[in-house]
Amino acid sequence: MERPGTKTEAWRDDAGSASEPRPRTAWERTGGLVGLLVSSLPSLVFVVVNSFAGLIPGIVTSVASGVVFVVLAVVMKKPLQPAVSSFVGVAITSLIAFLTGSAKGYFLSDIWFSLACFVVLAVSIVVRRPLVGVVWSLVNSEKMTWLADRRSRLGYDLATATATLVFASRFLVQQYLYDQDRTGWLAVAKIAMGNPLTGLAFGAAAWAIHYASKREKLLADA
């Protein structure tokens, strides 16, 4: 039997550390390919069916596709959150389209949501309480000690500014297409500016959180 401290024990330690779960990437945080399909297909179905069958069939098939994703998630024992979130979004957008009697109304909730998020995020930077840092601290029940460190706050400012630009770009592009009655292009913009830009915002937030954590440890050691 080998004594403690031998190469075998060191190898076991290395193997144990190597088996630790790696942090999820921004692509994985947005649901990956499944998340992209779940969030994209109902909009595509609506636009295609509406183009040749009319508004009501487009709404019905869009909602039906959302239900299918939820059922598949249950049957295949996959995480329900992406499918349920997509279904709730589809239900809201379909209701607005029905109430407005317009196909482009299907995308109104996304436009309003983008505008609201842009305003809230921008205000949080102006009042020096960047929302990314505030939300992270609240979710983890931590004190916002990073506010006292200029570099940590700057990191959260940059992450929040990234999210602000994401929602600003979504609002400007989709509002323009809405005013121009480009329903098909609205669906393209929703997909192209959806998960990819959300992944970018998640990546910036993850970097800011990691940077602030390192700064906190350095300051504590100092």
Side-chain angles (χ1 to χ4, degrees), residues 42-86:
S43 298
L44 285 177
V45 168
F46 171 79
V47 171
V48 172
V49 176
N50 173 76
S51 65
F52 68 82
L55 180 62
I56 300 302
I59 290 174
V60 172
T61 52
S62 179
V63 173
S65 67
V67 173
V68 168
F69 279 126
V70 174
V71 172
L72 285 176
V74 173
V75 172
M76 299 176 67
K77 297 181 180 180
K78 298 292 184 180
L80 278 174
Q81 189 271 330
V84 172
S85 297
S86 176

Side-chain angles (χ1 to χ4, degrees), residues 129-150:
R129 294 294 186 276
L131 195 60
V132 171
V134 172
V135 170
W136 179 255
S137 297
L138 291 176
V139 168
N140 291 278
S141 301
E142 297 176 352
K143 294 182 179 180
M144 294 188 289
T145 53
W146 49 268
L147 283 171
D149 179 42
R150 184 178 62 84

Side-chain angles (χ1 to χ4, degrees), residues 160-217:
T160 305
T162 301
T164 303
L165 291 175
V166 165
F167 285 108
S169 62
R170 284 177 180 171
F171 170 73
L172 292 173
V173 171
Q174 294 185 50
Q175 182 64 51
Y176 172 78
L177 294 172
Y178 181 88
D179 292 337
Q180 298 296 317
D181 295 323
R182 304 287 184 86
T183 305
W185 282 107
L186 274 169
V188 173
K190 178 178 180 178
I191 295 170
M193 307 180 79
N195 281 24
L197 292 187
T198 300
L200 175 63
F202 269 126
W207 169 83
I209 292 167
H210 178 69
Y211 180 74
S213 298
K214 286 182 62 178
R215 288 284 302 170
E216 183 177 2
K217 291 179 181 178

